[in-house]
Amino acid sequence: ENIEIGSNVYIGSGAILEAYYKNKLIIKDRVWIGPQAYFHAAAGITIESDSGIGPGAKIITSYHDLEQDDLGPIIKLPLKFKQVKINSGCDVGVGAIILPGVSIAEGTQVGAGAVVTKDTDRYSIVAGVPAKKIRMRQSSFEQQKTTFKKSARDIILHNFTDFVKYFFDLILILFLPLIIIYSRARLFLK
């Protein structure tokens, strides 16, 4: 009763979706969840539409509160709960781990094996342990435009360099003989 699944959702074999009596695990439309994924929704998990969660990825929403540590067994410490949200258009890589309280912003790519400990920026690519932004996503149209601008700049710079080189070569070819003749003539006239 605490799991809501939208339309056209794929859930791979062996995936574990744990919901609790207080909060909900909400999976919107057109979400792909890989085999062996594990969702622990004690504090609530929302996965927005058009997102993918790779095989073996894990989403955790609770942890033991070490601020109340009495140096006894950690498993006996009280739990803290923080919701996780994965916004639309995201892709969480194979084996990635999303920790409690994290919001994965729209269009984020989480690298395989990453451990995400804090919120991400829209259209960012994060990877590593702990996950860090390695760059921003860019549309292929923007990449082509950037490449064209770079190419045009390179062509202009190359042509200008060639022009300057040929100009000085021309000066040397035309004026060097005149300079030599002039200097010899001055020597002869003295």
Side-chain angles (χ1 to χ4, degrees):
E1 70 185 54
N2 287 338
I3 297 177
E4 297 176 9
I5 299 176
S7 62
N8 297 314
V9 171
Y10 170 82
I11 300 174
S13 64
I16 298 172
L17 309 178
E18 279 188 344
Y20 287 81
Y21 66 97
K22 287 185 178 180
N23 297 299
K24 291 191 179 273
L25 169 56
I26 301 169
I27 301 169
K28 300 282 181 95
D29 300 336
R30 299 173 304 282
V31 170
W32 190 93
I33 298 168
Q36 306 298 317
Y38 174 71
F39 298 169
H40 179 266
I45 296 173
T46 301
I47 302 172
E48 295 291 338
S49 300
D50 302 306
S51 291
I53 311 295
K58 294 168 181 56
I59 302 174
I60 309 298
T61 62
S62 68
Y63 58 96
H64 293 281
D65 186 2
L66 290 176
E67 291 176 9
Q68 298 185 37
D69 197 352
D70 59 3
L71 301 180
I74 294 172
I75 198 165
K76 292 184 179 181
L77 291 176
L79 290 173
K80 278 194 150 182
F81 300 94
K82 292 185 178 178
Q83 181 180 11
V84 169
K85 182 171 185 183
I86 298 178
N87 287 285
S88 63
C90 293
D91 182 56
V92 176
V94 173
I97 299 172
I98 313 298
L99 292 181
V102 170
S103 178
I104 305 294
E106 178 185 1
T108 298
Q109 170 69 62
V110 176
V115 177
V116 186
T117 60
K118 60 184 179 180
D119 295 354
T120 66
D121 297 330
R122 290 179 70 214
Y123 300 104
S124 62
I125 299 172
V126 299
V129 179
K132 293 184 175 148
K133 179 168 60 174
I134 56 174
R135 68 182 174 94
M136 297 300 290
R137 288 178 57 200
Q138 188 177 20
S139 76
S140 58
F141 174 74
E142 288 297 319
Q143 287 175 345
Q144 289 171 356
K145 200 164 92 174
T146 303
T147 301
F148 175 75
K149 283 181 183 176
K150 185 177 179 184
S151 297
R153 185 184 68 220
D154 290 345
I155 289 169
I156 291 168
L157 183 61
H158 179 72
N159 286 342
F160 179 74
T161 305
D162 283 349
F163 170 76
V164 169
K165 186 171 72 174
Y166 292 135
F167 178 75
F168 283 110
D169 286 348
L170 183 64
I171 288 174
L172 285 174
I173 291 170
L174 292 176
F175 293 109
L176 188 59
L178 291 174
I179 293 169
I180 292 171
I181 291 170
Y182 174 74
S183 63
R184 299 240 182 218
R186 285 192 68 189
L187 283 173
F188 180 71
L189 290 174
K190 281 187 177 183

